[in-house]
Amino acid sequence: METTVKTHDGTGATSAPPAPAELQPFLHDACITLCAPGMAVSRADGQISEGPDGFYHGDRRALSMLVAFAEDVPNAPISGGPDSADRASFRTVLRGLAEHSPDPAVTLERRRTVEPGELRETITLHNAGLTSVPIRLTLRAASDFAPLEAVKSGRPVPDSAPRIETDGLAWSDGELTARLVCAPAPDAAVHGPAEAAELRYSVELGPGERWQTELRCTVDDSKGAAFSPAAPAARAALSSGAALRTADRGLDHWFARSCEDLGSLLLADPLEPADTFLAAGAPWFLTLFGRDSVWAARMLLPLGTGLAAGTLRTLARRQGGKSDPATEEQPGKILHEIRRDGLEFGDGLSVPPCYYGTVDATPLWVTLLHDAWRWGMPPEDVELLLPHAESALKWMDEYGDADGDGFLEYVDSTGRGLANQGWKDSGDAVRRRDGTLAQPPVALCEVQAYAHEAALCAAELLRAFSRPGADRWEEWAQRLKLRFRERFWVEDADGPYPAIALGRDKKPLDALTSNIGHLLGTGLLDEEESRLVAGRLAGPDLDCGFGLRTLAAGSGGFSPLGYHIGTVWPHDTAIAVHGLVRDGHHDVARSLSAGLVRASASFDGRLPELFAGHGTGTDTRPAPYPAACRPQAWSAASAVTVLQAALGLSADAPAGRLTVQPRMAAGYLPLRASGLRLGEREFEVTVDAGGTARVTGLPEGVATVEQAEEAQAAQGGEES
């Protein structure tokens, strides 16, 4: 049943009944403009008016409303959206004003810019008509200082009482103070509905004239956000010079948009502002996440090692040093996330401001250190972090394997934290094929792969820097590999495959999931096992045509809109693509990559955290997951992983070698990728339409280039 309600612009409109309280708000039709730790969330028409909308500073909402409308005329939005990561613009027609034909004449334009702790808007009225018109412009604003988790949970928070000032408004809760200043100052400022306030202008606009007011909202924070804004130069340098031109304009657009978004997600460590890292995503996860920040930095290594170094050091400063059941901190453990005030989700679920409830961030940190060294991170910087790597290895051996069965596992020790502590951390993510949920402790398949790879990577680092323990960790990895083969493999009518996990009874949880893609390229599988996994990933129950479903279609509990039980996560698919290429399964990697590129076009190049897994069998474009973050760091970084896979890039900077094997490049040729880096040297890779690859910018003898399949086929034809 529909009802007619009074909208914020004073006009009558038809809408559905209001949604029940305390439902997670949707974001799929929101416009997010950000420069971490600041962000603005609005409707597509620019109005900050409902649900998750607001101007945020860190984990608090400084403005819960900022709407602009002309009184007594229909306000008809006609365009709006982001112009770049930190800028957006919107245009509304003020219908009936100065119109002498069916053509619109008077418009209201908003141009928005977000900086750390600051929102700026320019509001312009333009009369393209032939007569003068009076316009009564109203700006309605409110602030509730709501914690982010309250917004995410849909819990209403009452607005704060505004203080009316000569040039605007101010609000304070004793910790944060938000000020909204207008220039020119409004003609009148009054209290509006509820705790909102209104700033009013009376404008006489002649033919062809424009009128503007500048709005500036700033936030003063006596406590301080958990992390500092990155310097503008650091944001600009993150992907400086990186450019991609291929035969696939969708890939090009995804790559360019991703590089731009990644700079807007950059934050700095207040303990050492030169060290930067990527916040996980906006709006819900605009902070340091161990797993997410490590994966994003690892994916971006072909663009340079500076981000990886900053991420490694930021996490190392906070590496666990004691056993604390309340935070799940343990010696050597890498944290899960840091928040300003901790999170209270209701129903007994809460996490402290610094929370260590993750099983995979620690081995992933070790592997990032190794990979950054291979891509040219200065040896002296690597060496300083080796004691932290040794502590992480000790955690893997002693704390990660708490029951001594030889596998890394997790269990929420607090009773209030995350029940699942791998990257699929929702409560229903880990299950059997029949839908039965896992009971802790849980040993995830991909975590064993991370641990295996971390042990081998650590052994290589320890030898290179003449530190003891390399043989021990190679033997440790070999034992883990044998145990995994004995315990994790299950079989169905289509043959063998790895289970998602072992449960409390140490028996396999036999759901077929995308997790198995993370095993590839880690050395955990032999050649035949890798072939079996690649075949499963290629099947239509996992590959939906836009990427990998998190849970195979037809499994118990499968839902195309289930957070970890049927949706597609771009980073998840990109990790599988990278592993497929490392293990030589180029055809499957090519198909999955093409799916991600197709999906990116439906999201204007800004791939969200996740999207629906219905697939190309039913949909011509992927449906959004309505509450997904967008942008999300590892989704954006996935564009670089797809490029790396297409070029077959692998680096060994200590040995002065770069390998290019563009066996997955078909469909993207000709291709030119510039702004890539090996250590301090920038280089470029081109592959022509015939598949001939070249590297420029590196000293002679550094790059080893194999030709793409097209060039190899042509050469074979000439020889025959």
Side-chain angles (χ1 to χ4, degrees), residues 374-539:
R374 296 270 297 194
W375 275 96
M377 183 173 164
E380 59 273 21
D381 294 347
V382 175
E383 191 165 19
L384 288 172
L385 290 170
L386 289 177
H388 294 278
E390 290 165 332
S391 294
L393 292 169
K394 186 176 181 182
W395 177 85
M396 283 167 45
D397 194 33
E398 296 182 6
Y399 293 93
D401 179 18
D403 61 6
D405 69 346
F407 296 114
L408 270 65
E409 60 245 331
Y410 61 82
V411 59
D412 171 35
S413 62
T414 69
R416 301 183 306 276
L418 295 172
N420 286 315
Q421 298 188 357
W423 82 262
K424 293 180 178 176
D425 56 6
S426 54
D428 62 354
V430 184
R431 57 181 61 216
R432 291 185 172 86
R433 182 175 281 235
D434 65 5
T436 306
L437 298 185
Q439 296 298 315
V442 173
L444 292 166
C445 67
E446 76 272 19
V447 173
Q448 315 318 311
Y450 302 158
H452 179 271
E453 186 174 21
L456 294 180
C457 289
E460 188 178 349
L461 284 168
L462 294 171
R463 279 203 186 93
F465 288 88
S466 302
R467 298 173 80 99
D471 290 346
R472 180 202 168 194
W473 287 105
E474 284 180 340
E475 293 166 1
W476 189 93
Q478 181 61 23
R479 291 194 299 271
L480 176 57
K481 183 173 185 175
L482 294 174
R483 282 192 300 269
F484 186 91
R485 181 171 297 132
E486 294 168 355
R487 302 293 302 278
F488 270 82
W489 283 82
V490 295
E491 191 166 353
D492 64 9
D494 295 322
Y497 64 96
I500 183 176
L502 303 182
R504 176 188 294 171
D505 58 5
K506 303 301 181 182
K507 293 181 180 179
L509 299 160
D510 60 348
L512 177 59
T513 65
S514 64
N515 300 55
I516 62 176
H518 295 226
L519 312 183
L520 297 165
T522 65
L524 184 69
L525 306 178
D526 64 22
E527 186 174 345
E528 175 61 14
E529 291 165 342
S530 176
R531 185 190 67 79
L532 289 169
V533 168
R536 288 294 182 144
L537 297 180

Side-chain angles (χ1 to χ4, degrees), residues 36 96 117 181 215 227 242 282 312 435 536 560 627 650-651 683:
V181 175
L215 279 65
F227 292 102
L312 288 162
R536 288 294 182 144
S650 60
F683 67 94

Side-chain angles (χ1 to χ4, degrees), residues 30 62 83 90 137 174 244 390 414 418 536 591 668 686 691:
D83 299 319
F90 313 91
L137 176 68
L244 181 63
E390 290 165 332
T414 69
L418 295 172
R536 288 294 182 144
S591 175
Y668 304 131
T686 59

